[in-house]
Amino acid sequence: MTTSKKIFFFGEDHLTAGLALGLTRGTIQGQISEKARKKIRASYEVVARIVEMGKPVYGINTGFGPLCTTKISKSETKILQNNILQSHSVGVGQPIATEMAKLMLVLKAHSLAKGFSGIAEATLDRIIWHIDNDAIPIVPSQGSVGASGDLAPLSHLFLPLIGLGRVRYIRKLISTDQLHRIYGLEPLELGPKEGLALINGTQFIAAHAVMAIDKMHACLTHADIIGAMMIEGLQGSVKPFYNELHKLRPFKGNGHVASRIRFLLEDSEIMQDHIDCERVQDPYSLRCIPQVHGASRNAWLHLKELLEIELNSVTDNPIIINEELTISGGNFHGQPLAMALDYACLAASELGNISDRRIYLALEGNSPGVPKLLMKDTGINSGYMILQYTTAALASENKGLCFPASADSIPTSLGQEDHVSMGSISGRKALQVLENVEKILAIELLTAAQAFEFRKPMKSGVLLDEVHKTIRKKVAFADKDRVFSDDIEKGIEMIKDRTIILSVEKTMKRHNLKMESPFEEEFEKY
């Protein structure tokens, strides 16, 4: 029996990062209702009448950028739209991931379907055809300055509409011409303003932000789970996570993280074993997990809130309000997301930074029962020493990537575009940092599991015990040196496919447990 997919109505329903990923990954079906089609047709007809009347309107019957005062004749308006896609296709560098390019199509379809862009129904239907048939254009990663939107990547994204460019189809790279022959399709003839509507917008930046929201959320969740396991392995105190403390400095992220750590440490024999020990306080990398992880969560929440506004906005130019009012404004400027992505980039880097410090702490041998370098027989064995070299290198690389791209602006378009956001670089850097953080967390996962092992036969609570068993299915305890890069690769795989998060979720369901935090909705839903 087949089950019908959830339907999302482009241009009408409220889009979130999670829904955008669902549309991209095929778990949700995108459609355009008749109500939205009426708005789309009305906007297209307004553009047609403007051309007919001959009144100069930017991008409809004028040139672009510094050529905005150059009048274009009625007969040339269609040629102009094809030319703009070709002339602006100047991207360089490695192509972005196919999933990212498909996500860009989804985000553009939603924005255009709102009916303020003068796009033709047939053009929007062809975009949705590409989404539904997984015929995804090849888009270079470099070349956008993030104002007039993402001109270069969006131009490449839509070359297939006019029969040009290449697509990835059934895991093969083919020309658009080959794709059209397979399906008996013809290139579209773009109407006035359509080319400009397609390539103006922030969908490259926004797609990177969607991916960053998803990847960073997983990193934040992993960091809490692994941090809790490290607290147990090194016999840290639970007091820094008490609600009484965090009520006195009520940042949402801090409180949320403290609640989660307390929950993960509940009913732990390991924690009970040293409740009356003589140690007064832990190093900051354990004691300040709520403050550091919490600050990164606050940055994530800020990006989520701004991104949701952007996903449901119209970001091309000019905007067709009605026949009397078309506005050539700046909704395509990427600054709102550029700055938030730079903030998220820094916040992600700090997750890796404190994780590296916990790894170093685990190697010092200052916690009773846990040997130096996490191995009893050292000298002939180096133990886990060199794994921390890798996390130090990754953490340092991330610090270099934290310089905010949005702090820069280089004028383009002969000075017409005299302030640009560089938001595309903000997005690319944020994802680079997050990929490095995944690797750092994978190494902390291995070191925390190794430290945790030395607490046996004592048990943790049901959640972390299950996490430890899950790790041990992939990576064995190390009592002597081996090729640790193999372990690290398995750790990275567990982080990327979210094995550890799934283990916690399944255990909670099996034992009917619920994580209690007053900020659950804000931090766990996107």
Side-chain angles (χ1 to χ4, degrees), residues 128 218 242 245 324 349 406 431 493:
I128 294 169
Y242 281 7
L245 175 68
E324 288 72 42
S349 178
S406 59
L431 287 178
E493 186 182 320

Side-chain angles (χ1 to χ4, degrees), residues 348-414:
S349 178
E350 277 302 286
L351 270 188
N353 208 8
I354 196 171
S355 176
D356 167 74
R357 294 298 79 215
R358 287 194 293 266
I359 294 164
Y360 189 92
L361 188 67
L363 302 178
E364 287 184 315
N366 293 333
S367 180
V370 177
K372 192 177 288 186
L373 303 177
L374 295 173
M375 205 171 277
K376 286 182 178 177
D377 189 11
T378 49
I380 189 170
N381 293 299
S382 296
Y384 278 66
M385 183 202 311
I386 307 300
L387 280 76
Q388 191 266 328
Y389 284 44
T390 302
T391 61
L394 291 165
S396 181
E397 183 179 316
N398 279 352
K399 291 169 193 175
L401 289 166
C402 277
F403 182 85
S406 59
D408 186 33
S409 175
I410 299 175
T412 56
S413 196
L414 304 185

Side-chain angles (χ1 to χ4, degrees), residues 199-213:
I199 71 168
N200 259 206
T202 59
Q203 284 74 35
F204 183 88
I205 300 171
H208 279 75
V210 169
M211 291 297 192
I213 282 288

Side-chain angles (χ1 to χ4, degrees), residues 311-348:
L311 295 182
N312 295 285
S313 298
V314 179
T315 59
D316 63 287
N317 183 62
I319 303 299
I320 311 299
I321 305 297
N322 53 48
E323 202 161 326
E324 288 72 42
L325 183 59
T326 62
I327 302 174
S328 182
N331 277 9
F332 50 64
H333 202 293
Q335 195 79 351
L337 286 188
M339 294 176 73
L341 279 163
D342 283 333
Y343 178 23
C345 181
L346 173 62

Side-chain angles (χ1 to χ4, degrees), residues 93-151:
Q94 289 296 312
I96 61 174
T98 304
E99 185 176 56
M100 182 86 76
K102 188 175 181 183
L103 180 54
M104 287 176 69
L105 290 173
V106 166
L107 303 188
K108 194 66 175 180
H110 185 54
S111 181
L112 294 175
K114 289 185 175 291
F116 295 93
S117 302
I119 202 82
E121 270 187 280
T123 305
L124 193 45
D125 285 338
R126 181 66 67 88
I127 293 170
I128 294 169
W129 181 92
H130 276 272
I131 296 167
D132 291 345
N133 288 277
D134 269 321
I136 310 304
I138 303 301
V139 178
S141 56
Q142 295 171 294
S144 171
V145 295
S148 275
D150 297 307
L151 293 173

